[in-house]
Amino acid sequence: MRKGPRRSTPVRRRHCLHLLGVGRPSPKYATAFTRMAAFAALGISSWLQRACKTLGILTPTPVQRACIPAILSGRDVVGAAETGTGKTAAFVLPILDAVGRDPYGIAAIILTPTRELAFQIAQHVSALGAPIGIREYTLVGGVHELAQAAALEKRPHVVVATPGRLALMIRRGVVDLARVRFLVLDEADRLLDPSYVDDLKAVVGECDSEKRQTLMFSATMTASLRELQEVAMGANAMRFDARENRYATVEGLMQTYLFVPQHLKECYLVYLLKERFEKESVIVFVSRCETAELIVAMLNLLGMKKVAALHSDMKQTRRIEALQKFKGQSVRALVATDLASRGLDIPACEVVVNYDVPRQAATYVHRVGRTARAGKEGIAVSFVTQSDVELVHAIEARTEKKLEKIEDVKEELVMKELSNTLKARQIVKMNLDESGFLEQGDAKREGARKRAKRRKKERSKTSK
């Protein structure tokens, strides 16, 4: 170990003299200083500046430059920015700064619509907060409640949760949120969906409104977000939206479509994965869990083994395993429901395929946002059937971008797979039917319809 004061090298000494106004800076140290100074100017602590540098977060993004000082000053914030622009760090950094100053009790509750996103945010919190030994806990469904109750008794600094499980813990008196200083709604437009209303009320009711800062972030600034800001947030709340169009998509994204007959969608998908994108990593978005299972099993029968499913009917361990395999590129294609459309950072994804066209423009924006992240390029392909034309026109109107038709598809290559694909589909459907999986899906949708109908009746009663 070196003893005594460390001698400055001529390069470092020259740079330090420049900071005092003498001489010219060394380019090497000037660059590093400029980056550090950029984060220092936002007001975060020096240990957090060093943590950012260690993790390669070198220059603040626009959403970070706008939101971090506002949060540090105690303001409520609504932030909307394109996917992959650093929204997570925009609220995690000021939260960690506050924990560093006062590490007692649960300082922050971060709500997300999906378990996968909760785990991802928790990883960010853990990595950035490592220098001060941050204690974070991920509270989601699929885990034994007793184990979760024991973990919450240890009073973690930050709890990242899905609304349903946190609301359950509140109703059972397991968690105390009286000292919570930050309530964060990530993917806030999704959390404002009626299906989350009751759980969200339970969480918000437990947090002291006078002590709490409310932070809402999303890739799309919806009307519900604007209304909530006006009604539920402080008069001093700040809204950040860098885009003129709240449904804007990133510049590096090529948006295309294929006009396909409904009964040939599987054939076109096989063609894309075998011929068009045989080496690229692909996320295929579908509307139903059973569709995801059917497609993956069918592709496996056709010899494509590096394919995995991701949907809400899977056990949590399988969901985590599928996502990690795709991130690690041991799986080339992920067939997923909209569980994977929100906030997940998957740098390796090069292509997004909308096997089923989404009914909402906001869902389309989030789906295609899984590719072309952080300045990279990407491709989105939507399968458009005759019944999807109006949906596509609505998406184009919202995003203010025309989808380009793919003209150079070789029909003979598509039809070459017809016989094998239809045969594989028939076998897989029969197996899923015998296992009871399809029947479970029907029962789940019927239950969801009844709950939605009940919520609608309750809202109409309260409005009267």
Side-chain angles (χ1 to χ4, degrees):
M1 183 179 290
R2 184 188 295 274
K3 294 182 179 179
R6 183 175 180 177
R7 294 181 181 179
S8 293
T9 63
V11 171
R12 186 179 284 109
R13 181 176 179 276
R14 189 164 74 248
H15 182 68
C16 291
L17 286 172
H18 170 70
L19 299 184
L20 298 173
V22 181
R24 298 177 62 190
S26 157
K28 173 184 174 182
Y29 286 98
T31 303
F33 175 77
T34 302
R35 287 168 173 168
M36 292 294 284
F39 270 105
L42 301 183
I44 62 173
S45 302
S46 56
W47 71 266
L48 264 176
Q49 297 169 36
R50 292 191 294 273
C52 287
K53 184 180 177 184
T54 301
L55 294 173
I57 305 172
L58 302 177
T59 307
T61 64
V63 66
Q64 291 163 6
R65 286 197 297 270
C67 296
I68 289 175
I71 297 170
L72 289 174
S73 69
R75 298 174 68 184
D76 294 339
V77 168
V78 178
E82 295 165 344
T83 56
T85 54
K87 291 191 295 297
T88 302
F91 60 79
V92 167
L93 288 172
I95 287 172
L96 293 178
D97 190 273
V99 172
R101 299 174 196 277
D102 178 10
Y104 179 75
I106 299 176
I109 296 292
I110 303 174
L111 296 179
T112 75
T114 67
R115 301 173 188 178
E116 286 68 27
L117 185 52
F119 285 116
Q120 180 176 288
I121 293 172
Q123 288 172 356
H124 281 278
V125 173
S126 179
L128 285 165
I132 61 169
I134 194 77
R135 296 194 308 275
E136 53 77 23
Y137 186 66
T138 310
L139 183 66
V140 297
V143 181
H144 201 284
E145 294 168 29
L146 290 178
Q148 291 179 330
L152 290 170
E153 283 181 2
K154 295 177 181 177
R155 304 181 76 80
H157 300 116
V158 178
V159 175
V160 189
T162 48
R165 184 48 60 102
L166 180 56
L168 178 66
M169 290 294 165
I170 289 170
R171 292 178 186 120
R172 295 191 176 174
V174 172
V175 61
D176 179 15
L177 305 183
R179 286 181 57 88
V180 166
R181 285 166 276 167
F182 300 95
L183 175 62
V184 183
L185 276 62
D186 193 32
E187 302 300 337
D189 61 322
R190 179 71 182 91
L191 289 174
L192 296 176
D193 186 273
S195 59
Y196 291 104
V197 166
D198 292 339
D199 295 329
L200 208 54
K201 282 181 179 177
V203 175
V204 173
E206 281 295 303
C207 299
D208 190 328
S209 58
E210 292 184 5
K211 297 178 183 176
R212 181 192 79 226
Q213 279 179 254
T214 303
L215 315 175
M216 299 191 293
F217 286 82
S218 180
T220 48
M221 180 68 83
T222 60
S224 56
L225 269 181
R226 295 174 191 271
E227 289 170 10
L228 190 63
Q229 179 195 344
E230 294 171 3
V231 174
M233 302 182 81
N236 199 30
M238 188 206 80
R239 186 175 76 198
F240 172 81
D241 191 350
R243 306 150 307 162
E244 293 181 7
N245 178 8
R246 68 190 188 195
Y247 294 99
T249 52
V250 294
E251 287 298 322
L253 177 66
M254 181 185 293
Q255 300 178 64
T256 64
Y257 75 94
L258 272 170
F259 197 77
V260 302
Q262 178 69 39
H263 65 286
L264 293 179
K265 286 171 79 170
E266 292 99 339
C267 292
Y268 275 86
L269 181 61
V270 171
Y271 160 77
L272 286 185
L273 295 178
K274 275 192 171 183
E275 304 290 339
R276 194 92 176 191
F277 306 119
E278 56 181 331
K279 295 180 180 178
E280 287 80 3
S281 59
V282 184
I283 298 181
V284 181
F285 281 107
V286 297
S287 59
R288 293 182 175 182
C289 301
E290 52 265 40
T291 307
E293 285 289 333
L294 188 148
I295 288 175
V296 169
M298 185 192 73
L299 293 174
N300 286 338
L301 272 181
L302 293 171
M304 286 180 266
K305 302 297 183 182
K306 291 188 175 184
V307 183
L310 181 63
H311 57 79
S312 59
D313 282 351
M314 294 167 61
K315 290 184 178 179
Q316 187 60 43
T317 51
R318 276 190 65 207
R319 285 160 62 166
I320 294 172
E321 182 185 9
L323 192 56
Q324 292 306 320
K325 281 184 176 180
F326 185 68
K327 285 186 175 182
Q329 298 183 298
S330 59
V331 162
R332 190 174 70 84
L334 190 68
V335 185
T337 58
D338 285 315
L339 189 73
S341 69
R342 291 276 179 164
L344 295 183
D345 187 15
I346 309 173
C349 180
E350 297 161 291
V351 181
V352 165
V353 176
N354 286 308
Y355 183 86
D356 295 319
V357 175
R359 303 195 69 81
Q360 302 293 333
T363 304
Y364 174 85
V365 171
H366 285 283
R367 283 185 180 185
V368 300
R370 297 313 99 213
T371 187
R373 296 178 68 82
K376 296 180 181 178
E377 294 184 346
I379 301 171
V381 183
S382 297
F383 284 1
V384 180
T385 66
Q386 194 168 356
S387 59
D388 297 323
V389 174
E390 288 186 13
L391 291 175
V392 172
H393 287 164
I395 289 169
E396 289 176 329
R398 290 280 193 173
T399 59
E400 297 177 1
K401 217 162 212 178
K402 295 287 287 184
L403 274 59
E404 298 178 25
K405 185 178 181 180
I406 298 177
E407 301 281 4
D408 58 341
V409 172
K410 298 178 180 178
E411 296 290 342
E412 64 273 15
L413 290 176
V414 176
M415 299 311 292
K416 185 178 71 173
E417 299 289 342
L418 179 61
S419 177
N420 290 335
T421 301
L422 292 179
K423 196 178 296 182
R425 185 184 189 281
Q426 189 175 10
I427 293 170
V428 169
K429 193 169 182 182
M430 184 174 62
N431 291 340
L432 289 176
D433 197 22
E434 288 178 356
S435 69
F437 185 83
L438 298 179
E439 190 176 337
Q440 290 172 16
D442 291 339
K444 188 178 177 182
R445 280 191 299 278
E446 182 59 30
R449 277 194 292 268
K450 286 181 179 178
R451 287 192 296 273
K453 193 174 180 180
R454 189 163 57 247
R455 282 194 301 269
K456 189 175 179 181
K457 278 185 179 180
E458 289 171 359
R459 284 197 301 272
S460 64
K461 285 180 182 177
T462 53
S463 62
K464 290 177 182 178

